[in-house]
Amino acid sequence: MLQDDPALRVIHLTRDPRGMLNSWWKAAYPAEEKLIDANTMCKRILEDVEARQQLEIKYPNRVLGIRYEDLVSDPLRVARDVYGTLLGLPVPQAVLDGFDRSINANESNSYFGTMRRNSTETAYQWMTVLDAELQKQVTNLCS
């Protein structure tokens, strides 16, 4: 698609696999499947990142990698990266307002929703929720 449409831009959003897996596991995963999921997830993330890196080389300034943790902790910088670096445009105020409403909502709209009272807390919740041994195992699988 990038080859066929010179105006096309791609944003590749990634998240720390421990945070992603923690979210998955909170949705009622059997304990015995957790490390199987972690192994599969880590392989997929690595493949996706490698594919993105190849696209960045082949299509410079048209592919941008963004970490979820950066998006929620510094949305203004990420918006500037997307609009300034990727699109060559100023960030519209409506976009900034939308970010603010999503990551600093009065209340979260659901477990699977996009509105969060504190998105940074959500992004790093795995650090306090996952036990140390499981964190270590996932870290080793994804290293």
Side-chain angles (χ1 to χ4, degrees):
M1 290 177 21
L2 283 162
Q3 183 175 349
D4 295 336
D5 185 353
L8 181 66
R9 302 293 185 264
V10 174
I11 296 171
H12 179 218
L13 181 65
T14 58
R15 183 174 182 189
D16 184 303
R18 295 163 296 193
M20 185 181 288
L21 288 163
N22 183 57
S23 293
W24 282 15
W25 295 334
K26 285 190 336 190
Y29 268 76
E32 64 274 4
E33 292 181 20
K34 287 185 176 182
L35 290 179
I36 295 169
D37 289 341
N39 191 40
T40 301
M41 172 63 66
C42 293
K43 287 179 183 178
R44 288 181 60 194
I45 289 172
L46 180 61
E47 290 170 2
D48 289 348
V49 168
E50 288 172 347
R52 184 196 77 228
Q53 290 170 337
Q54 291 301 310
L55 290 173
E56 288 172 332
I57 292 167
K58 189 171 181 177
Y59 302 100
N61 303 315
R62 295 180 56 200
V63 178
L64 180 65
I66 297 173
R67 290 176 357 116
Y68 171 75
E69 292 80 5
D70 295 336
L71 177 63
V72 298
S73 64
D74 194 357
L76 181 57
R77 184 188 59 76
V78 172
R80 286 185 181 133
D81 285 348
V82 170
Y83 277 85
T85 304
L86 195 61
L87 302 175
L89 299 170
V91 183
Q93 187 60 46
V95 169
L96 297 175
D97 294 344
F99 271 130
D100 189 55
R101 281 192 305 276
S102 290
I103 66 170
N104 296 307
N106 290 332
E107 61 183 335
S108 298
N109 60 349
S110 78
Y111 177 72
F112 295 105
T114 58
M115 307 294 274
R116 296 284 178 255
R117 270 194 308 262
N118 184 337
S119 291
T120 303
E121 179 182 298
T122 301
Y124 296 102
Q125 187 177 49
W126 64 267
M127 291 179 172
T128 58
V129 173
L130 294 181
D131 68 69
E133 183 57 31
L134 194 51
Q135 286 184 37
K136 181 179 175 182
Q137 289 174 323
V138 173
T139 299
N140 290 338
L141 285 171
C142 291
S143 297

